[in-house]
Amino acid sequence: MRARRIVILTGAGISAESGLGTFRDAGGVWSRYDLVDVATPEGFARDPALVHEFYNARRVSARAAQPNAAHHALARLEARGPEVTLVTQNVDDLHERAGSRRVLHMHGRLDGALCGACGHRWDAAETMAPGEACPSCAAGAGRPDVVWFGEMPYHMPEIEALLARCDIFVAIGTSGNVYPASAFVEEAAMAGAHTLELNKEPSEVARAFGETRYGPASQVVPAWVEEFLGGSRHG
Ligand code: OAD
């Protein structure tokens, strides 16, 4: 098969071996925090200090983390393979630091700040605090530029268009619990793409994939990338 367009969805599992915790594994983020408190607009309105504390800690961890072999392999694939777009649910920047260029952060980024009043965006300082003033409109409405439950993920029209015309769809390190990302495999399959799940264990939507490979991302992702680059010609 001569693949021309690959869409790769990544989730917290790809950054797990970089030391960043996942959400739903044993001891994961959602076993320690109630997501309603820290990942919804209502939670932020109720207790902005708690929400900032949560994202400040994650920002510090993300800045200290290093990309692992799985991030590096995907950057290699983009450099040497056909058209590759990463659609990540992760708010860290490990894909970019590994060298990937086409990265869509559908759940936003920890290193961004967003004005809840006017929508202006700026670079987040390492520590954000309640009432941070927007550099554009001066409202004290600064928040992390991350997508919370109940909000529309970013880049959706572009992602839908990519899914409708991809030859291969790969999901890596995501549990398949959160819509709309959990439905991407069905959309890609309907468009005729080969679908592949690379994960530590079968996800909630594993049965929807045409092919599955299980193991740590640092092993299964480089193995698949090398196999793909070695076995296909691109034109
Ligand atoms: P989850 O924590 O739900 O799932 C992580 C997946 O990665 C699980 O299927 C694990 O089995 C797998 N995994 C763990 N370690 C791995 C490793 N070393 N190698 C490969 N796979 C591994 O995280 P996500 O699916 O990313 O949203 O969660 C989706 C969204 O839910 C997040 O973006 C976040 C969260 O609530 C918001 O906050 C809006």
Side-chain angles (χ1 to χ4, degrees), residues 11-13 16-17 22-25 30 39 89-90 107 147 149 173-178 199-201 215-217:
E17 290 161 85
T22 60
F23 295 96
R24 295 174 182 81
D25 291 289
W30 297 148
Q89 298 165 92
N90 297 343
H107 289 168
V147 174
F149 288 92
T174 179
S175 63
N177 273 287
V178 177
N199 209 43
K200 197 175 71 177
E201 61 204 9

Side-chain angles (χ1 to χ4, degrees), residues 41 46 49-50 58 73-74 83 112 118 122 130 157 162 168 175 177-178 203:
R46 203 166 44 236
L50 175 72
R58 295 187 64 203
L74 295 183
E83 180 189 296
C118 75
W122 66 99
L162 287 163
I168 300 181
S175 63
N177 273 287
V178 177
S203 74

Side-chain angles (χ1 to χ4, degrees), residues 1-7 82-85 102 104 157-169 184 186-194:
M1 172 187 193
R2 239 159 75 124
R4 293 184 178 279
R5 299 183 181 112
I6 306 181
V7 175
E83 180 189 296
V84 175
T85 307
R102 289 170 59 92
L104 299 175
E158 188 176 352
I159 293 169
E160 299 289 349
L162 287 163
L163 290 171
R165 65 179 185 84
C166 68
D167 309 304
I168 300 181
F169 171 78
F184 290 172
E186 304 277 7
E187 291 179 50
M190 288 216 332
H194 175 63

Side-chain angles (χ1 to χ4, degrees), residues 132-153:
E132 182 164 322
C134 170
S136 177
C137 76
R143 54 167 277 186
D145 190 10
V146 299
V147 174
W148 286 324
F149 288 92
E151 297 181 324
M152 180 64 84

